[in-house]
Amino acid sequence: MRFGLSFTAALAAALAVVVSSPAEPGQLSSKRADAQRVLAEIGAMDMELDRAVEAYNYATVQLNRIDRDLAANRKRLATARTNLATAHKRVADRVLSLYTSEEPDTLAVILGASSLGDLIERIDSVNRISDEDARITEDVTRFRNEVRSRQQHLEQAQVQQRNVVAERADRRAAIEGQLAARQELLASIKDQISTLEAAERARQARLARQARQQVRSTQPSSSGGQQSSPPPADQPPSPSPGPSPSPPPPSTHGGVVGVALHYLGVPYRWGGASPSGFDCSGLLVYSFAKVGVYLPHSSYMQFHLGRYVPRSNLQPGDAVFFNGASHVGIYIGGGRFVHAPHTGDVVKISSLGESWYSSTYAGARRY
């Protein structure tokens, strides 16, 4: 999501060349300063938007869990009600049989006994049946009450979590509104930066060619190892885990790089996790699912999965995190990674050496 900040330095360099011309140097210098200021503001807003989007994703995952628990608990409550009705009917049938039998129950027991020992055994048997009926009814009633209590708790949690999701969605919308205003201002000077944008597109195309060539060169041959399947052509809380006590295992999911590179140029879409649009964590969810690894749609949650990887030991397929784990990408080798940066941008390749990524680097995980 850091196109804005890295773009500032490039913009300054490009406009510096223009300023060196004799035509209206004061005006161009002023525009250069305006562009730097606006782009810096956009970069800061992008960071806030990243945090808001991933906070929303995290809250949504939690809400989905509560919804699943509620659905399961409703089934348990239905079962408890059925069992309770069955137990009540069983007791009622036994009581009814005592009054409708041809002989009074106690008399039948006494007259049917062949001895005193037999009489005691018969009476004890009747009592045990009665006690068992009472115990079953008591157990089922207690289970029903526990399920009802859990249902009330989950319903309250659901309401609270929906409020959290709504609040975080509102926060995201507010930031996007501010960002749109800044982008409108930036559009007023787009004539001066159109050349630089064209240069950025050309640079991304060159990086994409290099990355794909790197993937092809590192794939195993047909005579050894299993080659990863190509992707389908459908469409183009603060983390602080320390290093693991032992080195991470070798990466076995380098094929995810080829999957992610297939979607270069796909637009950023908040909450997106499909080729119609991705946000940063959504790109990982979709790409890793293609190689059999299923991740939650939250960069914060993704940061706490897998094994810690030292920066010096990064391998293609590792997840790299920035800005307190509010942003994530997939390492492709050579100090570069592929990611979905921010609203208004597309899935692209960036370098760990760029100032923003270098200064906000939060760590890496291997799944």
Side-chain angles (χ1 to χ4, degrees):
M1 65 165 287
R2 304 280 60 85
F3 175 80
L5 293 181
S6 60
F7 195 63
T8 303
L11 177 64
L15 291 181
V17 175
V18 179
V19 171
S20 63
S21 64
E24 302 180 357
Q27 181 181 3
L28 291 176
S29 178
S30 176
K31 287 184 178 180
R32 180 181 66 179
D34 289 344
Q36 289 175 324
R37 176 178 54 80
V38 173
L39 284 170
E41 292 175 358
I42 289 176
M45 290 178 187
D46 279 338
M47 286 190 286
E48 285 298 312
L49 182 59
D50 238 2
R51 294 189 185 99
V53 167
E54 290 307 321
Y56 173 87
N57 288 341
Y58 181 85
T60 301
V61 170
Q62 298 296 92
L63 178 59
N64 290 338
R65 288 179 177 174
I66 292 173
D67 289 342
R68 288 194 298 270
D69 289 344
L70 266 173
N73 202 69
R74 289 190 184 102
K75 292 181 180 179
R76 290 166 61 87
L77 184 57
T79 301
R81 287 169 175 163
T82 300
N83 291 343
L84 182 60
T86 301
H88 285 165
K89 185 176 184 306
R90 178 177 173 182
V91 174
D93 289 344
R94 288 183 184 271
V95 172
L96 180 63
S97 67
L98 293 177
Y99 287 97
T100 58
S101 61
E102 294 182 357
E103 298 179 357
D105 187 64
T106 304
L107 182 61
V109 169
I110 295 174
L111 295 179
S114 59
S115 65
L116 178 59
D118 185 26
L119 173 62
I120 295 174
E121 183 177 346
R122 283 170 174 262
I123 293 175
D124 185 54
S125 177
V126 170
N127 290 337
R128 282 202 304 271
I129 292 174
S130 178
D131 291 343
E132 180 69 10
D133 287 338
R135 186 190 64 78
I136 291 174
T137 302
E138 180 182 353
D139 288 347
V140 173
T141 301
R142 182 174 63 253
F143 176 70
R144 181 201 60 180
N145 292 339
E146 290 174 356
V147 173
R148 280 181 175 176
S149 176
R150 177 173 172 79
Q151 183 77 6
Q152 293 174 355
H153 173 75
L154 286 171
E155 287 174 353
Q156 292 174 355
Q158 184 187 52
V159 171
Q160 294 172 356
Q161 194 64 22
R162 282 177 177 171
N163 290 336
V164 171
V165 171
E167 290 172 1
R168 293 182 178 178
D170 289 343
R171 173 62 177 162
R172 186 271 313 172
I175 296 173
E176 283 190 332
Q178 298 171 10
L179 186 58
R182 294 289 88 189
Q183 288 171 335
E184 286 181 6
L185 179 58
L186 182 62
S188 67
I189 55 173
K190 66 180 180 181
D191 289 341
Q192 284 76 26
I193 64 174
S194 59
T195 301
L196 193 57
E197 289 176 337
E200 172 65 11
R201 288 193 295 270
R203 187 178 77 91
Q204 281 295 316
R206 173 174 56 81
L207 291 174
R209 288 193 298 271
Q210 294 175 352
R212 291 190 177 107
Q213 179 60 40
Q214 178 180 340
V215 170
R216 287 194 293 268
S217 66
T218 56
Q219 284 178 338
S221 63
S222 58
S223 60
Q226 182 179 2
Q227 187 166 344
S228 59
S229 303
D234 41 3
Q235 290 188 57
S238 302
S240 59
S244 299
S246 59
S251 175
T252 57
H253 300 298
V256 75
V257 173
V259 177
L261 292 177
H262 183 73
Y263 300 103
L264 288 173
V266 170
Y268 179 96
R269 182 167 65 86
W270 171 69
S274 74
S276 62
F278 295 102
D279 62 16
C280 66
S281 58
L283 178 63
L284 268 73
V285 170
Y286 186 87
S287 299
F288 272 96
K290 294 295 183 181
V291 297
V293 178
Y294 301 97
L295 301 174
H297 192 164
S298 166
S299 63
Y300 295 117
M301 289 183 173
Q302 292 168 359
F303 188 83
H304 291 279
L305 298 176
R307 296 289 297 274
Y308 167 83
V309 181
R311 186 165 178 171
S312 60
N313 194 30
L314 286 173
Q315 295 180 21
D318 291 341
V320 286
F321 296 84
F322 309 90
N323 195 31
S326 68
H327 188 66
V328 63
I330 301 172
Y331 188 69
I332 64 177
R336 297 190 177 96
F337 61 99
V338 58
H339 63 141
H342 57 80
T343 300
D345 213 330
V346 297
V347 176
K348 65 195 297 183
I349 296 171
S350 295
S351 171
L352 291 174
E354 295 175 34
S355 61
W356 189 87
Y357 298 111
S358 179
S359 63
T360 65
Y361 183 79
R365 309 295 291 184
R366 184 168 298 163
Y367 304 126

